[in-house]
Amino acid sequence: MSDLLKRGRFLLPALLLAALPFYLDAFWLRIGLFAMAAAIGAVGLGLLAGTAGQLSLGHAFFLAVGAYGYAWLAGEPGPGLPPALALVLAVLLAGAAGGLFSPVAGRVKGIYLGVATLALVFLGHHVLLTADSVTGGFNGRSVPPLSVGGFTFADTDPELVVLGVPFGAEERLWYLGLALFALTWFTARGILRGRPGRALVAVRDSETAAAVMGVDVARYRSAAFVVSSMYAGLAGALLALGFRRIVPDYFGLALSVDYLAMIVIGGLGSVAGATAGAVFVTALPLLMTRYADHLPLVAAPGGTGGAVGPTEAARYLYGAAIVLILLYAPDGLHGLARRLRARTARRREPATPALASPARPKEHTP
């Protein structure tokens, strides 16, 4: 019975997510796609910052490597490789970039590592603007659609219709993002529950104690940085497919801060928490942009007046959410949900009657 319940916990949400393209329009599917891409990158950063205890402000750099790596490898000008192969190579390229930086990550920690990774963002932004032949410079470059076995994840002719529902680019990319997110989810949970996860937690809690137990501290910290970079590269490639055109200004410091907000709001060291934080931070500005006309003190995109724009308003809101999380729920939304489940379970448990104490024999006085 317990195994059936565990399977149902994953099967029912999977079926629900698989059915959504038949009922939602392109706007909501686009939000879901961007949220899944952000969740993939947030899970990787959660492994690095939450489990291994390494602060990184350079996540946007590895997202850019994955995005531009795929666009260049699969496009023209570029090698023009098959898109599926270009996607795999873009992820490996992001991992290689993380590997080049991993000696620094293996020896530097705390705020010093954060400052070192911050340099990657500015360096990467400069390269994106100046390497015109690869990145397209300031104007960016278009992203070739992904095709696997003759099936293209884009609007094609003839049109694909499934159960009476036209399947365009958003519907097709939804299932691609769902598959990649599921792969990320289960691999990350496997890492956390296995020996590497226990070693990374030991390194985070006490490097001295971990070294005494035989953990190669520098090696595991470097490996965590490489794995996190690969997750970021995969997220960047999926974002590129969703945007269909990428520009350097998107991959700036603000994007790295967004990813830190995701894992703090969701809960450090938790795959489910990183996912929840990614959905919140990604969906909020898009929803505020769509419904700006109905929100007080929020101006519509391109509007004038004293009101703030939807993107700035969204940053204020999840900035306030970070403050509230740090004050009242330091373990994030995942920890808050866990405590609520435990409290609900305690309330549902039947009260056990107190055992009656055995009666003492009466003392007979002579």
Side-chain angles (χ1 to χ4, degrees):
M1 186 65 179
S2 60
D3 292 339
L4 184 61
L5 291 176
K6 289 180 180 179
R7 292 178 182 177
R9 287 175 55 190
F10 296 103
L11 183 60
L12 291 178
L15 292 176
L16 176 62
L17 291 172
L20 288 180
F22 293 94
Y23 301 97
L24 300 181
D25 60 19
F27 170 78
W28 297 102
L29 293 178
R30 200 172 297 115
I31 288 181
L33 176 64
F34 291 153
M36 285 186 284
I40 293 172
V43 168
L45 185 59
L47 289 174
L48 181 66
T51 306
Q54 295 178 279
L55 176 63
S56 173
L57 293 173
H59 218 54
F61 171 79
F62 300 104
L63 284 158
V65 172
Y68 277 94
Y70 169 77
W72 181 73
L73 289 169
E76 296 290 343
L81 299 176
L85 177 61
L87 178 64
V88 175
L89 292 179
V91 175
L92 295 177
L93 183 63
L100 292 175
F101 192 80
S102 62
V104 178
R107 291 169 174 79
V108 181
K109 61 180 181 179
I111 189 63
Y112 303 104
L113 179 60
V115 173
T117 54
L118 182 62
L120 290 175
V121 176
F122 298 110
L123 177 63
H125 191 262
H126 175 73
V127 172
L128 294 180
L129 290 175
T130 54
D132 295 350
S133 60
V134 176
T135 66
F138 179 80
N139 295 321
R141 64 177 297 161
S142 59
V143 179
L146 177 67
S147 60
V148 179
F151 182 82
T152 304
F153 292 87
D155 295 318
T156 57
D157 194 19
E159 188 180 60
L160 176 65
V161 179
V162 180
L163 299 178
V165 178
F167 265 44
E170 283 75 17
E171 288 81 5
R172 301 181 190 197
L173 286 173
W174 173 274
Y175 289 108
L176 174 65
L178 197 59
L180 295 178
F181 172 68
L183 176 65
T184 301
W185 177 284
F186 288 109
T187 55
R189 286 173 66 90
I191 291 173
L192 289 175
R193 294 181 177 183
R195 182 177 178 181
R198 293 191 295 270
L200 290 175
V201 170
V203 171
R204 179 196 63 191
D205 293 340
S206 174
E207 293 185 6
T208 303
V212 170
M213 291 187 294
V215 176
D216 190 338
V217 175
R219 175 171 170 265
Y220 272 96
R221 292 177 64 183
S222 299
F225 203 89
V226 172
V227 171
S228 175
S229 303
M230 294 178 69
Y231 280 135
L234 181 59
L238 185 57
L239 280 174
L241 290 170
F243 282 127
R244 303 175 196 172
R245 186 173 187 85
I246 47 179
V247 293
D249 286 346
Y250 178 76
F251 301 96
L253 179 59
L255 185 61
S256 292
V257 174
D258 286 347
Y259 274 88
L260 284 177
M262 293 175 194
I263 62 173
V264 171
I265 292 174
L268 293 173
S270 166
V271 176
T275 303
V279 172
F280 177 77
V281 173
T282 302
L284 186 60
L286 297 175
L287 291 174
M288 296 190 74
T289 300
R290 177 162 184 171
Y291 299 106
D293 294 336
H294 306 284
L295 297 174
L297 304 178
V298 178
T304 58
V308 297
T311 303
E312 291 78 8
R315 293 186 188 277
Y316 295 152
L317 285 179
Y318 67 69
I322 291 175
V323 175
L324 293 176
I325 287 291
L326 293 177
L327 287 177
Y328 300 106
D331 47 0
L333 296 177
H334 180 261
L336 184 61
R338 185 175 61 246
R339 289 194 298 273
L340 290 176
R341 286 197 303 266
R343 185 177 300 177
T344 304
R346 286 196 300 268
R347 289 180 179 177
R348 291 179 178 177
E349 290 179 356
T352 55
L355 297 176
S357 58
R360 293 183 179 179
K362 294 183 178 179
E363 297 180 358
H364 297 279
T365 55

